[in-house]
Amino acid sequence: MRKSIVVPLLAAMCCIASAADLTKPLTVPSADKKSSITLQLAEAWKTSPSKDAGITIDLPRSGVNVQIWALSQASVDEAAKQVAELIKGQVSNFKVTETKPINVAAAPGKQITGTGEEADDGDPASADVYLFTVEGKVYMICAHGEGDSSVRSRATLAPVLASVKKVEP
């Protein structure tokens, strides 16, 4: 009897893993609308415009919220200085705990990690903010949620960051 349960369970797990590998593109225009980037999202993820001119990416059953914005700041360093203000609609009272260099689309960027409160209900929250440039335009991805959910989302977001590229005309 156990064999009859194990085989379907393993088959279902394989199907779920295969479905997670399917991707779809998301195009994000720069703040000045003169260029765009594209990144690959898991097929099951949904996107919608956010109220603050960004795009919300819904990762079902993850406990993490993700937004991406095209910024008007001139550089990653300038945006990094303003990160608490930039994400206050998602995480209020954001305090940086770590800043690490990253590379996105073969250009240097920054991963800024910190804590604060969820802007909607004041619960303790964590956030990972990824700042990067493509062709001189600055973009920001913010993964945030209760507790350490942003930390748990890092492995999920790594392929998304690796997929970022300039949209060719």
Side-chain angles (χ1 to χ4, degrees), residues 139-162:
Y139 298 87
M140 176 176 68
I141 296 175
C142 179
H144 58 94
E146 288 187 26
D148 69 346
S149 59
S150 70
V151 173
R152 290 179 287 150
S153 72
R154 289 178 187 159
T156 303
L157 290 177
V160 174
L161 290 165

Side-chain angles (χ1 to χ4, degrees), residues 127-148:
D128 280 15
V129 179
Y130 304 90
L131 297 165
F132 57 93
T133 62
V134 175
E135 297 288 315
K137 308 297 182 186
V138 181
Y139 298 87
M140 176 176 68
I141 296 175
C142 179
H144 58 94
E146 288 187 26
D148 69 346

